[in-house]
Amino acid sequence: MEKTRSIRTYKAVTEAKYLSVENAQRYRAILRYFYEEQQRLRYWLRPEEILQAVKERIEPSDASSYNEDLLQLDLQQLHDWGNLQRKQSGKVNKIEDFKKKRYRYQATPYTIKFERLIEDLEEMGDAYGGSLEVTQFEKLVETLRWLTRLARVSFHRPGERPRYEMEDWSNEKLYDWWTELYEQFRKVTNNARDYMASLDSVQVEDAMMTEQFLLYKDKVTDYLRRFMMGLQRSSYQIEGLLVQVDRRLLQDLLHRVASYEVSIPRFEQTAWTKEDYTARFFEQWEGIWHWFLGDGSGRGSDLEDLQRETNEAIRRIARYAQRMGERQSSMRSRRADYLYLAKWFASHEEVEPAHCLSAAVFGITEMHHFWVEGPKSTEDIYCEIWDMSASDYDVKPRINGYRERTRPSKIDTKDEQKEAMLAAYLQQKAQRQSRLNELFAADRVSLRDLPIVEPFVRQTLLGWIGKSMASPAREGKTDDGRRFRLTEMGTGERIRLQCTDGVLELPDFVLYFLDESKVKR
C-alpha cells in the first residue's frame, strides 16, 4: 500500500533561509548557540545571554558594532522565518521593560535538525565516510531471525498456521524490535553506499596515482575481500530469512507496531493515522525486501550491485597498483647492474668460465620444451631430473596432410551389460525408496530424532531442504509425489545428524507431510 504524497509536502522551506542570506554569519551564530544550549537541556534563552554568545562567535570587527538593537532585529527575522519561538518573560521590574515586551526564545525542531545536520557535515569534511562492516550484516541477521522463531507449541495438526514467539510479545517490545531492525538496515545500506562512493570519488583516484598508494593497497584490498566473504555468508542467511517470513504474521505485527505508534502521547498535532503508519511500515519492509531480493523487474537487487561494485573496486585498485609498478620499473636505471655484470665478465681470464657465467645469467639461447604424457616415478619435489627414468616421445612428421593411421572397429551394443546395470539400478532404487518410506512414514518427522542414516538418505534430505528453501511457502514435493512443509523449530540450536560416513550439522528442522491420503509403502 503506497501513501499518496500531498503537493503541500514540497512547500518552500523558509526555515533554511538563514543559511545563505546576507547576514548568515550572525544568524548562524545565534542558532548554533541555541543548538549547543539545547544539548545541555537549556531550551529558553534570554536576549542578553544570546548577545554575549554571538559576540564571541563572530569576527571581532563585527562584534564591536553588534548591539542589542541589531540582536532584536535578527531575533525578529528568525522568528518570522520560523526558526525561533518566543514567549514574554513574566518578570517585569520597570515600565520600560513592559513596553519593550522582553521575550525568551526557543529554537524550533526544524532549526535543531538543521544545526545537527550541519554539525555532522562539518565533521565529515570533503569525505563521504562510511564503512564496510560485516558485523552490521550479522546483527541484521540476528534481528530478522526473530520473525522465523516458532513458539513452543507451533503445529497442532497438518495445514494449521504455525504460532510464532513474537506473537506473545507486547506492543512496546514489538515497536522496539521494529525500530532496531529498520535502523540497522539504514545503517548498513548508508555506510556501504558512502564507502563505495568514497572509493569512486575524484580524491581517491588522485591518491591512487601517487606512490604512497602502494603502501595502502594491500590493506584496502584485504579489507574489501574480507567484507565480500562476510557479505556472501550473511546475505544468503538474510535472503533465506526474508523468504521464510509468514506474510500474515508480518501484517499482524506491523498493525500492532502502528497501534503503539499512535498510542504514544504527543502534544504536536499530526495528521498520521494508524493506517498511514501501517502503510509506511509496509513500505519500509518492501524496501528491505527489494534491497536484498530485488523488485522482480529483472534489474537485480541493490545487494548484487554492492557486490559488483566491491569486486570492481578490487580490480580497479589492482590495475592502479600494476600501473604504478610498471611505471617504477620502466623508470628504473639498470646502468649499475650492467656495469657490475661487465666487471664480473672482465675478471675471468679464460673464456670457459665466461661461458658458464653467460649460461647462468642469460640462460640457453635456443631451447625446445617437450611435454611427455606418462606416470610419475616419484612425487619428491627435490628429485633431480636426471635421477628420473626416461620417457618415450613420439615425433610426428611436420608435413601438410599427415594423418595417423587408424583401424576400423566394430560397434558393440553391449545389450546384456545394459540390462544388467538397469536391473541393478532399479533394485537399488526400490531398496532406497523402501528405506525412505520407513524413516519418513509419519506425518511429522523431526530431524533431531532420526537414527543413523545412509549417505543417500542425507543427500535426499538435503534435496528436500533445498526445494523448500526455494519456495516462499517453504513447501516441496518428494519424488513419489508426497507434499511436505519444512519448518525450523526456532530454538536457535543446531542438531547433528549421524550418518554412516560422518556427521552433518544443520538447523533444528521439522518435516510436516501434508498428503494424508498417500499410502506409504
Side-chain angles (χ1 to χ4, degrees), residues 465-476:
I465 295 175
K467 291 180 181 179
S468 63
M469 287 296 186
S471 171
R474 299 291 298 274
E475 295 182 358

Side-chain angles (χ1 to χ4, degrees), residues 332-475:
R332 179 183 175 185
S333 176
R334 304 295 300 274
R335 181 173 180 273
D337 297 338
Y338 291 139
L339 288 175
Y340 181 82
L341 190 60
K343 292 178 181 179
W344 202 353
F345 275 101
S347 64
H348 295 290
E349 298 179 355
E350 299 181 0
V351 69
E352 189 62 29
H355 288 325
C356 295
L357 179 60
S358 176
V361 174
F362 302 109
I364 302 176
T365 56
E366 296 182 2
M367 180 182 298
H368 296 280
H369 297 271
F370 297 94
W371 176 262
V372 180
E373 293 286 350
K376 294 182 179 180
S377 59
T378 179
E379 296 291 339
D380 187 6
I381 62 175
Y382 301 104
C383 179
E384 301 294 345
I385 190 171
W386 46 79
D387 295 334
M388 301 177 64
S389 57
S391 301
D392 296 332
Y393 181 79
D394 297 332
V395 180
K396 300 178 182 179
R398 302 179 62 180
I399 57 176
N400 295 332
Y402 171 75
R403 289 186 178 88
E404 296 184 5
R405 293 183 179 179
T406 58
R407 293 182 179 179
S409 58
K410 66 177 181 178
I411 300 176
D412 190 0
T413 58
K414 301 181 180 180
D415 293 335
E416 296 181 357
Q417 297 180 5
K418 292 180 181 179
E419 292 178 358
M421 293 175 61
L422 178 59
Y425 169 74
L426 293 177
Q427 181 181 3
Q428 182 187 38
K429 184 177 180 180
Q431 293 175 353
R432 291 185 174 183
Q433 186 62 43
S434 175
R435 175 61 172 165
L436 292 174
N437 293 338
E438 177 186 354
L439 293 174
F440 301 100
D443 294 333
R444 181 185 182 278
V445 178
S446 176
L447 303 191
R448 179 193 294 271
D449 301 332
L450 288 178
I452 300 177
V453 299
E454 295 80 1
F456 77 89
V457 177
R458 181 186 68 248
Q459 295 174 1
T460 304
L461 189 60
L462 290 177
W464 292 353
I465 295 175
K467 291 180 181 179
S468 63
M469 287 296 186
S471 171
R474 299 291 298 274
E475 295 182 358

Side-chain angles (χ1 to χ4, degrees), residues 293-301 304-305 308:
L293 297 175
D295 55 2
S297 61
R299 187 190 64 84
S301 63
E304 295 174 354
D305 294 340
R308 183 173 59 255

Side-chain angles (χ1 to χ4, degrees), residues 41 162 218 225 298 364 441:
L41 304 181
D218 294 335
R225 288 194 181 98
I364 302 176

